Amino acid sequence: MSSALQINKPTPIHPGDDLIKFDSNTDVRETLYAMREGQSVLITEFYSNGMLLLKELQKHLKIRLPNKTIKEQHAFRVEYHTLSNQILLQIKNQKVVVDKAPKIGWFAKMFANKNNFLLTFPEVQRLNSAWQKYNKGIKVPVLRNKVHPYYGVYFPTRFDQLTLFDNWLKRYEGPKKSAIDVGIGSGVLSFQMVQHGFQKVFGTDTNPNAIFGLKEFMGETKLSRKIELDHGSLFGKWEKETELIVFNPPWLPAISGEENIDEAVYYNKNLFPKFFAEANNRLSEDGELVVLFSNAAQIKNLTKENPIEKELAKGIRFKLEKCLKKTIKPVVDKTKRNKKAAPLEEVQLWVLTKV
């Protein structure tokens, strides 16, 4: 693994003298008022005390703030994020210093040289959740083996789009010399392509944790010789033409003005125009460009535009070969049975070729 690749990890907070200590006997209301004044809170005694304070914070904000419109929901999230990150836990000797806290292996892997520091409670929760998935692995129906996503790396939580892609790969009759996986993430699409006989897959990602985690996972196995990685935007350093380009982009447009967006979930206005321009230079004349997408943004009324349809409408670079769709079965809400049925979400697999 490249020692030059710096992974993203939580920033340690050095203990200060102005912390309020919170245990099972502390007055919750007084603590919340102190937090609104900017005070940070150190959880002591039991890990569950932090869970309690987070729960009470949510209840407190639901009373204070409306939470109906998109703008109000955004304001609620901002306030909750700010205040919840004032709740802290002490980490010492790679362990959380309260009773009944989860055992989290990331502390030894990421903070081996740091012995005594603080992290926010929400960050410790994220570390714990990520460790369980990394340590135990996630079973993906279209793969033979589990995936072990590294901390801070996107992984699929549902598999309809992966099933669409797998079914398409089963019928794919083109050459299998090489492919490019743009935004490789936890590696699922690349693993699928190798599983279906591709000799070489070049994967890129802007997230260094994705590259680091996959290099660690593949080690010196045969898989590491089949999949080559680069930390970079879109196509990274790969300049040569290829027979297949695969892209599973974010499905939702970024909300204007929102900071620190999750680039695995939200796309900015320049992503698709830049992607299609670069893909046109990398795809061989008889090659195929596969984009996995969804109508989620449209049924949520976040946009009326589909960026793939917008590209095709230009008629300059690409034309549509086929578009496979699969409707997502909605979760039945018995309380809304008599109300007007909401539009159904569908996952889409777009296959484009050069004009």
Side-chain angles (χ1 to χ4, degrees):
M1 282 178 282
S2 172
S3 58
L5 198 63
Q6 298 296 314
I7 64 170
N8 296 321
K9 59 184 179 182
T11 302
I13 302 168
H14 296 292
D17 299 325
D18 57 344
L19 297 176
I20 300 172
K21 292 186 177 180
F22 184 88
D23 60 28
S24 54
N25 295 314
T26 307
D27 187 286
V28 174
R29 182 176 293 184
E30 287 184 6
T31 303
L32 292 175
Y33 285 143
M35 289 170 62
R36 286 178 59 189
E37 294 298 320
Q39 286 282 328
S40 292
V41 178
L42 178 65
I43 300 300
T44 61
E45 197 178 40
F46 296 106
Y47 186 81
S48 58
N49 290 333
M51 303 290 291
L52 170 66
L53 189 54
L54 278 178
K55 183 178 179 181
E56 292 298 324
L57 174 60
Q58 278 199 328
K59 287 166 61 177
H60 175 72
L61 291 179
K62 284 178 181 178
I63 294 170
R64 282 186 57 240
L65 299 174
N67 192 20
K68 294 181 179 179
T69 68
I70 292 177
K71 190 174 182 180
E72 289 171 347
Q73 290 168 356
H74 174 62
F76 182 93
R77 289 196 306 271
V78 169
E79 184 77 358
Y80 179 76
H81 178 268
T82 300
L83 293 175
S84 64
N85 279 284
Q86 291 169 213
I87 304 173
L88 308 175
L89 283 166
Q90 184 179 11
I91 315 299
K92 195 171 185 178
N93 297 327
Q94 283 76 54
K95 294 179 182 178
V96 181
V97 188
V98 287
D99 287 338
K100 298 186 178 179
K103 294 180 180 179
I104 304 172
W106 296 123
F107 295 136
K109 292 177 76 70
M110 295 180 176
F111 304 103
N113 299 322
K114 291 190 179 294
N115 187 45
N116 186 13
F117 58 95
L118 304 176
L119 288 176
T120 71
F121 197 93
E123 194 60 79
V124 172
Q125 287 182 305
R126 286 190 287 271
L127 285 164
N128 179 43
S129 176
W131 179 253
Q132 300 307 316
K133 295 175 177 66
Y134 170 83
N135 192 38
K136 296 177 182 177
I138 299 171
K139 178 64 179 173
V140 180
V142 295
L143 298 178
R144 299 187 190 103
N145 300 312
K146 291 181 177 180
V147 294
H148 296 262
Y150 204 79
Y151 168 78
V153 177
Y154 169 80
F155 60 91
T157 55
R158 63 187 191 191
F159 310 110
D160 302 273
Q161 72 276 23
L162 303 180
T163 302
L164 267 184
F165 184 52
D166 211 63
N167 289 336
W168 181 81
L169 282 171
K170 289 174 184 176
R171 295 169 176 79
Y172 175 75
E173 296 179 349
K176 296 182 177 181
K177 185 178 179 182
S178 70
I180 298 177
D181 183 356
V182 177
I184 192 169
S186 54
V188 175
L189 299 183
S190 289
F191 297 154
Q192 285 181 266
M193 287 186 277
V194 170
Q195 201 167 267
H196 282 277
F198 276 81
Q199 297 174 34
K200 191 80 173 181
V201 179
F202 300 98
T204 67
D205 210 292
T206 56
N207 183 353
N209 294 34
I211 304 302
F212 187 94
L214 282 170
K215 285 184 176 181
E216 180 190 70
F217 173 72
M218 294 189 297
E220 300 298 325
T221 64
K222 289 182 180 179
L223 200 55
S224 69
R225 295 188 285 277
K226 293 273 188 179
I227 300 174
E228 194 170 337
L229 302 167
D230 181 49
H231 175 229
S233 176
L234 292 178
F235 292 85
K237 67 182 182 182
W238 315 124
E239 298 286 347
K240 292 183 179 180
E241 287 190 348
T242 186
E243 298 89 19
L244 177 63
I245 294 172
V246 178
F247 188 32
N248 184 16
W251 291 352
L252 302 175
I255 299 173
S256 179
E258 184 152 1
E259 297 180 358
N260 301 317
I261 64 166
D262 184 346
E263 292 184 352
V265 179
Y266 300 97
Y267 62 86
N268 65 53
K269 64 180 181 180
N270 298 318
L271 175 66
F272 283 96
K274 189 174 181 182
F275 166 74
F276 285 120
E278 292 192 21
N280 189 51
N281 295 329
R282 307 302 198 289
L283 190 66
S284 62
E285 285 303 314
D286 297 322
E288 293 179 293
L289 171 60
V290 172
V291 184
L292 299 172
F293 208 60
S294 162
N295 67 340
Q298 291 162 306
I299 65 175
K300 292 176 187 287
N301 294 318
L302 296 177
T303 182
K304 294 181 180 179
E305 251 181 21
N306 179 310
I308 305 163
E309 291 176 344
K310 186 177 180 181
E311 169 65 22
L312 290 170
K314 296 175 183 176
I316 300 172
R317 293 182 285 235
F318 298 104
K319 61 185 178 181
L320 179 66
E321 181 179 291
K322 66 177 69 172
C323 179
L324 307 177
K325 299 179 180 181
K326 183 177 181 181
T327 301
I328 306 298
K329 188 176 180 181
V331 177
V332 177
D333 185 346
K334 294 181 180 179
T335 64
K336 299 181 180 180
R337 182 169 290 177
N338 296 323
K339 294 185 179 181
K340 185 179 179 181
L344 296 178
E345 183 182 353
E346 62 183 23
V347 291
Q348 307 161 347
L349 185 145
W350 297 77
V351 183
L352 280 54
T353 55
K354 282 191 169 183
V355 171

